[in-house]
Amino acid sequence: MIPVRWLLVKTGEEPADDAWLAPAERDHLETLRIPHRREDWRLGRWAAKKALAAALDLPADSLARLEIRPAEDGAPEPFLDGNPVPWDLSLTHRDGHAAAAVAPAGTALGCDLECVEPRSGLFVQDYFTEAERAVIETDRLLLANLLWSAKESVLKALRVGLRMDTRDVEVTLSNDEAVGGWRTFAVRHRASGRRFEGWWRREGGMVATVVAGAVERTDQPISLS
């Protein structure tokens, strides 16, 4: 079984100073001039570093040794003391919340947060498959956001983001009972047939999703918060 670790943080939980950021991260932060983008970026890094430190069993004062660098495709990659860390990392932020998921390298990991908010019929028509649209119409407020979040997560796991048509992946919800607050779903990449395991949960007025594409079975995420 492959352990997936998950951490959710809120604005105000991160330190006021930047001593926990690596030097290159502090330099990048200085280039972000729009306040809410700076805040979102810092909060996302805080979630990612806290999750990685827990997974690597690092002391609390070692976060500046960790650095999250963007790969050529934009995916976040973790480094410790300048060396690659053999862990997959995904992070997300939305409305004063940030989350990170970490798992051993090769897991093909993605996570996402979305507000449970009204979505138009045009949105549903444009971004979902016919089968997904039928499911969404049973509870559009929740399910349009849940399935959208699941797609965001799997596109991160595929390391393509929204460069891929969201209808190229199809989400199927399960009827399983919640375990540790998580319910399951599956995602299929329609062209290749590749499948991903997924989990979702409510977080107040938001929905959170995590997906993993490893062949080996994966249990529901272990919450670090």
Side-chain angles (χ1 to χ4, degrees):
M1 283 178 284
I2 296 173
V4 175
R5 294 168 172 84
W6 155 270
L7 179 66
L8 177 72
V9 298
K10 300 177 183 179
T11 295
E13 295 179 5
E14 76 280 24
D17 65 77
D18 297 327
W20 54 278
L21 291 170
E25 291 172 329
R26 292 196 292 271
D27 290 343
H28 178 74
L29 184 63
E30 289 303 311
T31 70
L32 302 178
R33 302 301 183 188
I34 300 174
H36 77 84
R37 290 186 178 176
R38 289 173 58 88
E39 293 164 6
D40 287 346
W41 189 89
R42 287 183 83 254
L43 193 62
R45 286 302 188 276
W46 176 248
K49 291 193 174 202
K50 291 285 287 184
L52 283 165
L56 298 171
D57 198 25
L58 295 175
D61 61 356
S62 63
L63 295 190
R65 296 170 54 199
L66 288 166
E67 182 183 350
I68 314 301
R69 302 177 186 173
E72 288 188 6
D73 58 16
E77 294 187 336
F79 289 76
L80 176 64
D81 297 328
N83 300 307
V85 175
W87 283 74
D88 283 347
L89 163 69
S90 184
L91 59 92
T92 183
H93 48 74
R94 180 72 190 268
D95 284 15
H97 296 72
V102 296
T107 305
L109 194 64
C111 74
D112 186 64
L113 287 172
E114 294 292 335
C115 292
V116 178
E117 60 189 5
R119 299 283 189 171
S120 70
L122 185 60
F123 175 86
V124 173
Q125 184 68 33
D126 283 350
Y127 293 113
F128 297 94
T129 68
E130 182 178 356
E132 290 169 336
R133 293 196 297 270
V135 171
I136 286 169
E137 289 311 315
T138 66
D139 183 356
R140 184 186 292 185
L141 182 62
L142 172 63
L143 297 180
N145 293 290
L146 168 55
L147 268 64
W148 177 252
S149 181
K151 286 174 180 283
E152 288 264 30
S153 285
V154 79
L155 294 180
K156 290 179 182 179
L158 288 166
R159 298 178 71 125
V160 295
L162 292 174
R163 297 186 296 275
M164 178 185 287
D165 189 329
T166 58
R167 292 166 296 188
D168 288 346
V169 293
E170 188 166 68
V171 181
T172 303
L173 301 178
S174 78
N175 294 317
D176 294 349
E177 294 291 328
V179 177
W182 295 94
R183 294 181 179 274
T184 62
F185 62 87
V187 188
R188 180 176 64 91
H189 182 216
R190 301 172 80 189
S192 67
R194 185 178 181 184
R195 294 183 65 83
F196 292 79
E197 293 182 89
W199 305 267
W200 70 275
R201 66 188 295 163
R202 290 293 295 264
E203 294 286 353
M206 310 185 84
V207 63
T209 58
V210 179
V211 301
V215 175
E216 187 177 356
R217 188 172 69 84
T218 311
D219 276 343
Q220 73 274 4
I222 300 167
S223 179
L224 300 172
S225 55

